[in-house]
Amino acid sequence: MASVLISRQFALSLQKNLRLSGPGFRYVSKAAPRTQDEFDYDGPSMKTAVPGPRSEELTKQLGQIQNVGAINFFCNYEESRGNYLVDVDGNRMLDIYTQISSIPIGYNHPALLKLMSNPNNLSTLVNRPALGILPPENFPEKLNESLVSVAPSGMTRVQTMACGSCSNENAFKAMFIWYRNKERGHNTPSEEDISSCMINQAPGCPELSILSFMGGFHGRTMGCLATTHSKAIHKLDVPSFDWPIAPFPRLQYPLEEFTRENAQEEARCLEEVEDLIVKWRQKGKPVAGIVIEPIQAEGGDNHATADFFRRLRDIARKHGCAFHVDEVQTGGGTTGKMWAHEHWGMEDPADIVSFSKKLLTGGYYHKDELQADKAYRIFNTWMGDPSKNLILSEVLNVIRRENLLEEVTRSGKALINGLYELQAQYPGILSRARGQGTFCAIDICDDETRNRILTTARDKGILLGGCGDRSIRFRPALIFKEYHVHLFLNIFNDVLAQLK
Amino acid sequence: MASVLISRQFALSLQKNLRLSGPGFRYVSKAAPRTQDEFDYDGPSMKTAVPGPRSEELTKQLGQIQNVGAINFFCNYEESRGNYLVDVDGNRMLDIYTQISSIPIGYNHPALLKLMSNPNNLSTLVNRPALGILPPENFPEKLNESLVSVAPSGMTRVQTMACGSCSNENAFKAMFIWYRNKERGHNTPSEEDISSCMINQAPGCPELSILSFMGGFHGRTMGCLATTHSKAIHKLDVPSFDWPIAPFPRLQYPLEEFTRENAQEEARCLEEVEDLIVKWRQKGKPVAGIVIEPIQAEGGDNHATADFFRRLRDIARKHGCAFHVDEVQTGGGTTGKMWAHEHWGMEDPADIVSFSKKLLTGGYYHKDELQADKAYRIFNTWMGDPSKNLILSEVLNVIRRENLLEEVTRSGKALINGLYELQAQYPGILSRARGQGTFCAIDICDDETRNRILTTARDKGILLGGCGDRSIRFRPALIFKEYHVHLFLNIFNDVLAQLK
């Protein structure tokens, strides 16, 4: 792996120079005075190439136990703070990937440390209940304080789950159950339903389908995986379902120059959705639900317009399919709103909204009619974890107290404007800068250059992630301020200048 | 719901009388002096019927947010201790169900409270990493101390996951990947594999199958659910895979009286397994793996002999199918051994062993050749939770320090002998007492009587669970001592006497 050894001195001088613009680069951080929180570090600090020797040693150790092909490096979470992730070799990096977008308010936030030190919460940490049968006394209250307080429009009901995949799997089941009851006209299964389902056969296990989109990612368990179409490595060798897959709009950028083309592209995709719904009904595998991300994340940060989603929602309604918006990666404030679908401006945006990652617990919201009609239809031993709801409650307090959604909107503007300018400056390397809030991405000329940029940036103390074939995705925590944006842009500019 | 109000005074006198045998009942607890741990309570104490008024009120509140059809009552986990679960109405019950068998060493174990109060562990609680890419420094060490230290024979590799279903889903994927690479003769997928898998089609998403057993339970996500055949309510209305389902032996009890019949029954089931493997190969859906529980738990505590499992393992080997032993409910010491499959006495018991529940984290062990050949094939954001590994490490320390596997063996003998005697005493009500360690069960004459017994026992301070059509399953924690067995047997005897 290509990596550059950066001396401590260089790192220090780098920090000092952050307020100066790079060659040909217009950012001057005077425009963004540093207002970072006390618990944040004041900049990256690199001591070794990454992964450093201690990480290499630990990777070897872990390699005795599991596949370590995806390991980046080992972390010192005790020393990590705010926007900075510290590794076991003492390197401190500005983290714009945040554990695949799953850290809401940075590392070791004082509010969370205080919460977890409170002896009153000890019992929640050591006694994990079977939530579906024996919930703790404060469970309704904690749900109301946390998930219910940020429920999407039109939804008052929420079911927690342990992770994103389980959330989507159970959301799919809820849609199948709802659809079959609708087909029956009542909730009582026939004797044939009951006996045939025990041996995996119709009508008890019906030939229903979920319509998904090419480029989508909804998880890796077998139901979810049948709706995931972002990379072959996720799906290869795993049996799947014959479910319809629609094209997701491939917008041309800059958007304002391609209004007509993009509208045509979205219309084409919507038409295909309707065709597929009809075709699969004729095949005897009716579409019970449509699942879609507000922004296709893993698949390459593919956006569509609010108009596209509004019309898709109408198509779902027209054909009697449930509409499931997967906000596992987009939810939790990173687009500047708690849920990305709020940008569509709809009162009835979805029938089901699933979440995980930044929400710290998995789960899904749903409209009343999507609640399973009987107990034990949507069920498992743990059904989430109250210790995660506890943390989420406090995270939401911090978001409100510190107006983090506004901060995200502000930082997001600075980030996207910075990316626009860099892309004007490096047209041979960068293109298609796009984003909502700090949920931004940019395309790199090719996969190899993308990976070189990621590695070089890391060695300069910036941690980024890739997505799609050749995109870089930005997934900072909600405490990523304008100051951090400019710090990042300056270093990124250096990385790009070095490439030339 | 039928329930009996037990006054505090009655509960106290009940406790005093525990050492006296019930009418016609031979248990005298002098034979089992109380040696319970300091943190345990000294007996049940009932103040209201269950669920009491506070539970009813909270159930109504939670009903605004989710389906509450399965809620038993709400718990006061702060006041719960050892083998005793305290509810929000102040009722204290001897817990022989332990959150669907998921509490290893009782409630609020002092060792765990101490561990979670240690400020050194705070960071693990508030910074959940993406384990597959950025593990914490102590991850290999914690894995070695915990899961690796109790690895099944022949396995040195373990992959953590968030729950039991995800563990089985990923274990299935590992078997499919292994099987396809074996078919190919190499690890390099073709262009056709890669392009076809993106649209859910063969050969990339091959028509492979997992053979499971009628009555088995392996989880409720869509891959797992295709191998679950315990109750229709789990499967109804959810699309599934056309995978082979073999009969699980239905043994006749008492075993010593039906040696020949049971051997024939097991031979019949094994023959069917081989037939199905051949049939599904001919169908073009070869069996990549066989999944089985050492004791079918949810399906009714169905046992088979060690000989059956040894021969089944041979059949898997002979036909080139991976052999996956699902120890989600049986693992963790409850059978008197860390893994139930140890009772088979084999050096090479399985290719994959999955776990969750009492292990506090999900995951699966596997033989070297079952490790996915490339990174990101078995992957998700969290891949488990280091805070759970931390607790597991300490639980294993307690198990070793307090010789809990020996205790389980001792308590298990007392429990099964007590059940044998009760069944002799109540032949019209009880039958088929069976078990391994404290993982015991008994059949009740019919479903209605079973549910009446569960409710009555609960109102007398004994918390039990059902399984199968008409069984009661016993799933105490590992700290359930002989003293508790006799306490239970005395109350259970009263419940049965009352039924007559």
Side-chain angles (χ1 to χ4, degrees):
Chain A
M1 183 182 298
S3 57
V4 181
L5 192 81
I6 301 183
S7 71
R8 190 184 179 114
Q9 198 175 359
F10 176 69
L12 286 171
S13 76
L14 190 70
Q15 286 171 45
K16 274 192 208 143
N17 289 323
L18 286 171
R19 284 180 177 72
L20 302 176
S21 55
F25 192 71
R26 290 190 289 137
Y27 278 99
V28 181
S29 76
K30 268 179 279 180
R34 206 180 134 204
T35 55
Q36 75 198 85
D37 299 301
E38 251 175 61
F39 75 105
D40 211 16
Y41 286 107
D42 60 0
S45 162
M46 302 303 289
K47 296 184 174 170
T48 73
V50 178
R54 176 72 179 138
S55 271
E56 301 271 23
E57 186 190 318
L58 288 166
T59 305
K60 205 178 284 177
Q61 280 178 33
L62 187 59
Q64 305 289 313
I65 305 174
Q66 39 187 240
N67 188 317
V68 289
I71 298 288
N72 284 224
F73 52 84
F74 279 72
C75 303
N76 182 338
Y77 287 104
E78 287 74 14
E79 292 296 318
S80 300
R81 269 186 235 155
N83 291 286
Y84 292 89
L85 179 62
V86 175
D87 77 3
V88 291
D89 291 281
N91 300 298
R92 182 207 303 157
M93 288 158 265
L94 180 66
D95 188 357
I96 315 184
Y97 194 40
T98 60
Q99 312 292 326
I100 320 180
S101 200
S102 68
I103 299 287
I105 54 170
Y107 298 102
N108 289 309
H109 195 289
L112 301 187
L113 292 175
K114 192 177 161 201
L115 178 83
M116 289 290 112
S117 317
N118 184 340
N120 293 337
N121 294 326
L122 263 179
S123 159
T124 304
L125 302 176
V126 303
N127 303 305
R128 186 173 187 179
L131 272 175
I133 55 170
L134 296 164
E137 182 160 20
N138 67 2
F139 187 53
E141 180 194 330
K142 283 286 157 207
L143 279 181
N144 279 321
E145 274 177 30
S146 58
L147 291 166
V148 175
S149 78
V150 292
S153 173
M155 297 181 198
T156 56
R157 297 184 164 267
V158 65
Q159 183 61 64
T160 55
M161 287 286 157
C163 71
S165 283
C166 283
S167 306
N168 285 337
E169 289 272 345
N170 281 284
F172 291 179
K173 284 169 63 177
M175 297 194 286
F176 290 131
I177 292 169
W178 164 83
Y179 192 89
R180 277 293 284 145
N181 279 334
K182 210 163 43 111
E183 275 189 333
R184 283 186 192 103
H186 55 77
N187 290 356
T188 314
S190 67
E191 277 304 313
E192 197 191 355
D193 285 337
I194 288 170
S195 59
S196 59
C197 81
M198 292 297 280
I199 51 169
N200 297 10
Q201 302 297 318
C205 292
E207 292 261 31
L208 295 176
S209 61
I210 302 284
L211 183 145
S212 56
F213 290 82
M214 191 50 70
F217 182 93
H218 303 287
R220 298 157 178 267
T221 49
M222 291 182 69
C224 295
L225 198 56
T227 62
T228 285
H229 319 280
S230 50
K231 289 177 191 135
I233 194 81
H234 306 149
K235 293 176 70 75
L236 188 68
D237 298 343
V238 184
S240 195
F241 291 103
D242 176 29
W243 289 354
I245 308 157
F248 190 88
R250 179 79 186 164
L251 301 187
Q252 296 183 65
Y253 288 80
L255 295 177
E256 56 279 15
E257 284 179 28
F258 294 96
T259 320
R260 202 173 51 90
E261 290 84 346
N262 288 339
Q264 280 172 349
E265 166 69 355
E266 293 194 336
R268 178 187 75 86
C269 293
L270 291 168
E271 203 175 308
E272 183 75 8
V273 167
E274 289 213 64
D275 285 353
L276 288 168
I277 292 173
V278 171
K279 205 166 152 193
W280 254 255
R281 193 187 298 140
Q282 285 163 352
K283 262 190 172 190
K285 298 177 181 181
V287 174
I290 296 176
V291 64
I292 194 162
E293 298 155 277
I295 302 166
Q296 286 192 334
E298 174 70 20
D301 272 37
N302 306 317
H303 293 248
T305 66
D307 185 57
F308 171 81
F309 288 103
R310 284 192 292 257
R311 290 166 64 198
L312 182 64
R313 208 274 176 265
D314 283 344
I315 289 174
R317 208 182 276 114
K318 172 180 159 195
H319 290 275
C321 315
F323 190 58
H324 171 184
V325 178
D326 177 346
E327 294 249 22
V328 167
Q329 188 151 171
T330 49
T334 176
T335 67
K337 295 190 185 284
M338 184 52 67
W339 305 107
H341 70 251
E342 292 174 52
H343 293 281
W344 308 341
M346 296 173 74
E347 271 180 31
D348 180 31
D351 296 304
I352 290 206
V353 173
S354 57
F355 55 84
S356 190
K357 290 190 183 262
K358 279 196 172 58
L359 278 293
L360 304 165
T361 172
Y364 63 95
Y365 296 96
H366 57 87
K367 293 175 79 173
D368 291 4
E369 61 263 38
L370 266 287
Q371 178 165 297
D373 52 299
K374 290 185 192 71
Y376 295 110
R377 300 198 75 170
I378 300 291
F379 191 85
N380 60 51
T381 298
W382 286 322
M383 298 187 92
D385 183 343
S387 74
K388 306 301 180 193
N389 297 6
L390 189 70
I391 306 182
L392 173 60
S393 256
E394 187 59 21
V395 164
L396 293 174
N397 287 340
V398 170
I399 291 177
R400 289 175 190 122
R401 201 163 58 220
E402 302 184 5
N403 291 315
L404 292 183
L405 297 189
E406 285 171 35
E407 289 284 355
V408 166
T409 304
R410 198 165 18 243
S411 307
K413 267 183 199 146
L415 179 56
I416 195 70
N417 285 330
L419 294 174
Y420 288 148
E421 296 194 28
L422 282 172
Q423 136 185 319
Q425 209 177 332
Y426 300 96
I429 306 176
L430 304 179
S431 64
R432 302 180 80 241
R434 58 206 183 273
Q436 207 160 43
T438 54
F439 197 104
C440 293
I442 195 159
D443 281 8
I444 312 299
C445 47
D446 57 61
D447 180 31
E448 195 212 319
T449 309
R450 187 251 310 258
N451 296 341
R452 197 140 58 95
I453 290 175
L454 291 177
T455 310
T456 314
R458 192 170 69 182
D459 283 329
K460 287 184 189 289
I462 301 287
L463 199 57
L464 294 165
C467 65
D469 297 332
R470 53 188 183 90
S471 302
I472 288 178
R473 58 177 151 178
F474 303 95
R475 297 290 187 273
L478 306 179
I479 55 163
F480 191 76
K481 307 287 172 70
E482 275 186 278
Y483 167 80
H484 301 102
V485 172
H486 294 296
L487 194 158
F488 155 70
L489 289 169
N490 278 296
I491 299 179
F492 200 53
N493 184 38
D494 289 349
V495 173
L496 295 165
Q498 218 173 294
L499 271 187
K500 270 190 162 172
Chain B
M1 182 182 297
S3 57
V4 181
L5 192 82
I6 301 184
S7 72
R8 189 184 179 118
Q9 197 176 1
F10 175 70
L12 286 171
S13 77
L14 191 70
Q15 285 173 45
K16 274 195 206 141
N17 288 320
L18 285 170
R19 284 180 179 71
L20 302 176
S21 54
F25 192 71
R26 287 191 290 134
Y27 277 100
V28 182
S29 77
K30 269 179 278 178
R34 204 179 137 207
T35 55
Q36 75 199 83
D37 298 300
E38 252 174 60
F39 75 105
D40 211 16
Y41 285 108
D42 60 2
S45 162
M46 302 303 290
K47 295 184 174 166
T48 73
V50 177
R54 177 74 179 137
S55 271
E56 301 271 24
E57 185 191 319
L58 289 165
T59 304
K60 206 178 284 176
Q61 280 179 34
L62 188 59
Q64 306 288 317
I65 307 173
Q66 39 187 239
N67 186 317
V68 289
I71 299 288
N72 283 224
F73 52 83
F74 280 71
C75 303
N76 182 337
Y77 286 104
E78 288 74 13
E79 291 296 318
S80 300
R81 269 186 235 153
N83 291 285
Y84 292 90
L85 179 61
V86 175
D87 77 4
V88 291
D89 289 282
N91 300 298
R92 182 207 299 156
M93 288 158 265
L94 181 65
D95 189 357
I96 314 184
Y97 193 41
T98 60
Q99 313 292 326
I100 321 182
S101 201
S102 68
I103 300 286
I105 54 171
Y107 298 102
N108 288 309
H109 194 289
L112 301 187
L113 292 175
K114 192 177 161 199
L115 177 82
M116 288 291 110
S117 318
N118 185 340
N120 293 337
N121 294 326
L122 264 178
S123 159
T124 304
L125 300 176
V126 304
N127 303 305
R128 187 174 187 177
L131 273 175
I133 57 172
L134 295 165
E137 181 160 22
N138 68 2
F139 187 53
E141 181 194 329
K142 284 287 158 204
L143 279 182
N144 279 321
E145 273 176 30
S146 59
L147 290 165
V148 175
S149 78
V150 292
S153 173
M155 298 180 199
T156 55
R157 296 185 164 265
V158 65
Q159 184 60 65
T160 55
M161 288 285 158
C163 71
S165 284
C166 282
S167 307
N168 285 337
E169 290 273 343
N170 281 284
F172 292 179
K173 284 168 63 177
M175 296 193 288
F176 290 131
I177 292 169
W178 164 83
Y179 192 89
R180 278 292 286 143
N181 279 336
K182 209 162 47 107
E183 275 188 335
R184 283 185 192 105
H186 55 76
N187 291 355
T188 313
S190 68
E191 277 306 313
E192 198 192 353
D193 286 337
I194 288 169
S195 59
S196 60
C197 81
M198 292 297 281
I199 50 167
N200 298 9
Q201 301 298 317
C205 292
E207 293 259 31
L208 295 176
S209 62
I210 302 285
L211 182 144
S212 56
F213 290 83
M214 191 50 70
F217 181 93
H218 303 286
R220 296 157 178 267
T221 49
M222 291 184 69
C224 294
L225 199 56
T227 62
T228 285
H229 318 280
S230 50
K231 289 175 191 136
I233 194 78
H234 306 150
K235 294 176 69 76
L236 188 68
D237 298 342
V238 184
S240 195
F241 291 104
D242 176 28
W243 289 354
I245 308 157
F248 190 88
R250 179 77 186 166
L251 301 187
Q252 297 183 65
Y253 289 81
L255 295 177
E256 56 279 14
E257 283 178 27
F258 294 95
T259 320
R260 201 172 52 89
E261 289 85 346
N262 288 338
Q264 279 172 351
E265 166 70 356
E266 293 194 335
R268 178 186 74 87
C269 294
L270 291 168
E271 204 174 307
E272 182 76 6
V273 167
E274 289 214 63
D275 284 354
L276 288 168
I277 292 174
V278 172
K279 206 167 152 192
W280 254 254
R281 192 186 301 139
Q282 285 163 352
K283 262 190 172 189
K285 300 178 181 182
V287 174
I290 296 175
V291 64
I292 195 162
E293 297 156 277
I295 302 167
Q296 285 191 335
E298 175 69 20
D301 272 38
N302 306 316
H303 292 250
T305 66
D307 185 57
F308 171 81
F309 288 103
R310 284 192 292 258
R311 289 165 65 199
L312 182 65
R313 207 276 174 265
D314 283 343
I315 288 173
R317 206 182 278 111
K318 173 180 158 193
H319 290 275
C321 315
F323 190 58
H324 171 184
V325 177
D326 176 346
E327 294 249 22
V328 167
Q329 188 152 168
T330 49
T334 176
T335 66
K337 296 189 185 285
M338 184 52 66
W339 306 107
H341 71 250
E342 292 175 53
H343 293 282
W344 308 341
M346 295 172 74
E347 271 180 31
D348 181 30
D351 296 306
I352 290 208
V353 172
S354 57
F355 55 84
S356 190
K357 291 193 183 257
K358 279 196 172 59
L359 278 294
L360 303 165
T361 172
Y364 63 94
Y365 297 96
H366 57 87
K367 294 175 78 172
D368 290 4
E369 60 264 39
L370 268 286
Q371 178 164 298
D373 52 299
K374 288 185 194 72
Y376 296 107
R377 300 197 73 170
I378 299 291
F379 190 84
N380 59 52
T381 298
W382 286 323
M383 299 188 92
D385 184 343
S387 74
K388 306 301 180 191
N389 296 7
L390 189 69
I391 306 182
L392 174 60
S393 256
E394 188 57 22
V395 164
L396 293 175
N397 287 340
V398 170
I399 291 177
R400 289 176 189 122
R401 201 162 58 221
E402 302 183 5
N403 291 313
L404 290 183
L405 297 189
E406 285 171 37
E407 289 283 356
V408 166
T409 304
R410 200 165 17 241
S411 307
K413 267 184 200 147
L415 180 56
I416 194 71
N417 286 329
L419 294 174
Y420 287 150
E421 296 193 29
L422 282 172
Q423 136 184 319
Q425 210 179 329
Y426 301 95
I429 306 174
L430 305 179
S431 64
R432 301 180 78 241
R434 55 206 185 273
Q436 207 160 44
T438 54
F439 197 104
C440 293
I442 196 160
D443 280 7
I444 311 299
C445 47
D446 56 62
D447 182 30
E448 194 212 320
T449 309
R450 188 253 310 259
N451 295 342
R452 198 140 55 95
I453 290 174
L454 291 177
T455 309
T456 314
R458 192 170 70 182
D459 282 329
K460 288 182 188 289
I462 300 288
L463 199 57
L464 293 166
C467 66
D469 298 329
R470 53 187 183 90
S471 302
I472 288 178
R473 57 178 151 178
F474 303 95
R475 297 290 188 274
L478 306 179
I479 55 163
F480 191 75
K481 306 289 171 70
E482 273 187 279
Y483 167 80
H484 302 100
V485 172
H486 294 297
L487 194 159
F488 155 70
L489 289 169
N490 278 295
I491 299 178
F492 200 53
N493 185 36
D494 289 350
V495 172
L496 295 165
Q498 219 173 293
L499 273 186
K500 269 191 161 172

